[in-house]
């Protein structure tokens, strides 16, 4: 899965900690999502997308091998 | 969808802090006991098995830690905890199976004494804490997937080496104690 979270976060000049606090997870979780290690649940993905005022598909993209 | 009933709810983060204190007390008392320094009342209470008693304190602390929440208990922590519990249970069951198999095929009179039971308890809790805390702080990819063991080792050589070294160190420490 391709993750565009880091790019969108940097565009808006938001730190990992600020985003984590906004969506009620730890900073390590945001870091793990950005590195493509952890795949968020639907609810968390929706929360993050809502925070950026984007669609989930704008932040997370399925790859062929998924 | 929120569920309101949990069979075995996690204790609060404050419980974890208390549990760490209990575990440290258990380790310190065990070390002193192995050096021949003990508490007379505990010697009496435990019928001379004070070293086992102190290890039980450590086990209780580790058990309480295992079932307490982290400071920030989010979905990633829950997934890591679930994986650590399943790995620990798998290893523990394998160890018990090996013991029973040996007992049946080699020596039917073989039985679990206090030390063996303490070792098995510490082993299971040790494996759990090892997997949980290393996964929590180093974030290896295998904890979130169901790849085969060989694929995991190939992709995460560094973590495999860390786990092996820490596990060996724990065994050596236990043998010294």
């Amino acid at each position: 899965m391709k993750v565009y979270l880091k790019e969108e976060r940097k565009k808006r000049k938001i730190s990992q900690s600020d985003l984590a606090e906004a969506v009620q997870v730890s900073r390590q979780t945001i870091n793990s999502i950005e590195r493509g290690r952890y795949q968020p649940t639907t609810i968390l993905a929706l929360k993050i997308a809502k925070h950026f005022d984007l669609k989930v598909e704008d932040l997370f993209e399925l790859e062929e091998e998924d | 969808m929120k569920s309101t009933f949990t069979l075995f709810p996690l204790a609060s983060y404050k419980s974890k802090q208390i549990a760490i204190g209990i575990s440290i007390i258990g380790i310190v008392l065990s070390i002193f006991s192995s050096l021949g320094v003990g508490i007379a009342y505990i010697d009496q209470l435990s019928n001379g098995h004070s070293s086992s008693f102190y290890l039980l304190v450590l086990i209780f602390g580790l058990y309480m830690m295992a079932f307490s929440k982290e400071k920030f208990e989010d979905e990633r922590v829950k997934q890591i905890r679930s994986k650590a519990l399943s790995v620990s249970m798998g290893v523990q069951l394998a160890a018990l199976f090996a013991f029973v198999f040996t007992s049946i095929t080699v020596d039917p009179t073989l039985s679990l004494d206090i030390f063996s039971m303490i070792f098995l308890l510490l082993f299971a809790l040790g494996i759990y804490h090892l997997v949980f805390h290393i996964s929590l702080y180093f974030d290896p990819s295998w904890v979130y997937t169901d790849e085969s063991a060989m694929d995991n080792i190939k992709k995460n050589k560094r973590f495999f080496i860390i786990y092996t070294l820490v596990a060996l160190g724990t065994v050596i420490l236990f043998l010294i104690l």
Side-chain angles (χ1 to χ4, degrees):
Chain A
M1 185 172 71
K2 274 191 185 162
V3 181
Y4 301 106
L5 180 58
K6 191 173 183 177
E7 291 85 353
E8 292 297 331
R9 184 176 60 77
K10 284 192 180 288
K11 258 191 223 174
R12 291 160 176 76
K13 295 189 171 74
I14 301 172
S15 68
Q16 285 183 342
S17 304
D18 290 338
L19 177 58
E21 200 178 324
V23 297
Q24 297 165 324
V25 295
S26 64
R27 189 200 62 78
Q28 287 92 337
T29 300
I30 298 297
N31 185 44
S32 192
I33 294 171
E34 286 182 356
R35 287 164 69 200
R37 291 273 170 95
Y38 175 67
Q39 290 173 1
T41 58
T42 311
I43 290 175
L44 181 56
L46 284 166
K47 276 184 180 178
I48 295 171
K50 189 179 175 184
H51 182 74
F52 286 131
D53 199 24
L54 294 168
K55 292 182 183 171
V56 173
E57 293 85 356
D58 296 329
L59 294 170
F60 305 99
E61 188 186 313
L62 276 176
E63 291 178 295
E64 268 194 39
E65 57 263 28
D66 288 329
Chain B
M1 193 170 72
K2 283 184 181 176
S3 62
T4 54
F5 176 76
T6 311
L7 188 63
F8 209 165
L10 294 174
S12 65
Y13 178 64
K14 204 172 181 178
S15 300
K16 183 174 178 177
Q17 293 172 312
I18 295 168
I20 291 171
I22 294 171
S23 302
I24 291 171
I25 290 170
I27 291 173
V28 168
L29 288 173
S30 296
I31 291 171
F32 277 127
S33 176
S34 66
L35 296 171
V37 178
I39 302 168
Y41 176 71
I42 300 294
D43 281 338
Q44 213 175 15
L45 184 73
S46 59
N47 298 315
H49 293 288
S50 55
S51 57
S52 304
F53 186 88
Y54 301 139
L55 284 173
L56 213 58
V57 171
L58 169 62
I59 287 166
F60 180 76
L62 291 174
Y63 176 79
M64 207 170 144
M65 265 175 70
F67 292 97
S68 297
K69 288 183 182 174
E70 287 300 299
K71 197 171 183 183
F72 213 125
E73 185 78 16
D74 62 11
E75 54 181 59
R76 177 180 154 263
V77 172
K78 284 176 185 166
Q79 193 166 344
I80 291 172
R81 176 174 282 110
S82 172
K83 192 80 172 195
L85 280 171
S86 73
V87 168
S88 164
M89 188 173 184
V91 170
Q92 174 75 337
L93 287 173
L96 281 168
F97 178 82
F99 176 83
V100 172
F101 182 78
T102 306
S103 182
I104 290 170
T105 56
V106 176
D107 184 3
T109 62
L110 200 65
S111 62
L112 279 174
D113 61 0
I114 291 173
F115 300 107
S116 304
M117 285 192 277
I118 285 173
F119 175 77
L120 282 169
L121 282 168
L122 271 175
F123 185 60
L125 285 166
I127 293 285
Y128 167 81
H129 283 291
L130 186 73
V131 174
F132 181 74
H133 288 100
I134 289 180
S135 300
L136 198 62
Y137 297 115
F138 292 101
D139 201 30
S141 57
W142 72 268
V143 80
Y144 306 118
T145 64
D146 286 319
E147 289 175 327
S148 70
M150 280 318 296
D151 286 337
N152 283 335
I153 290 168
K154 280 178 198 168
K155 278 188 183 177
N156 298 283
K157 281 185 193 149
R158 184 165 58 118
F159 293 106
F160 181 68
I161 291 167
I162 291 170
Y163 288 133
T164 308
L165 287 172
V166 173
L168 279 171
T170 310
V171 169
I172 291 167
L173 183 70
F174 183 75
L175 287 171
I176 294 169
L177 282 174

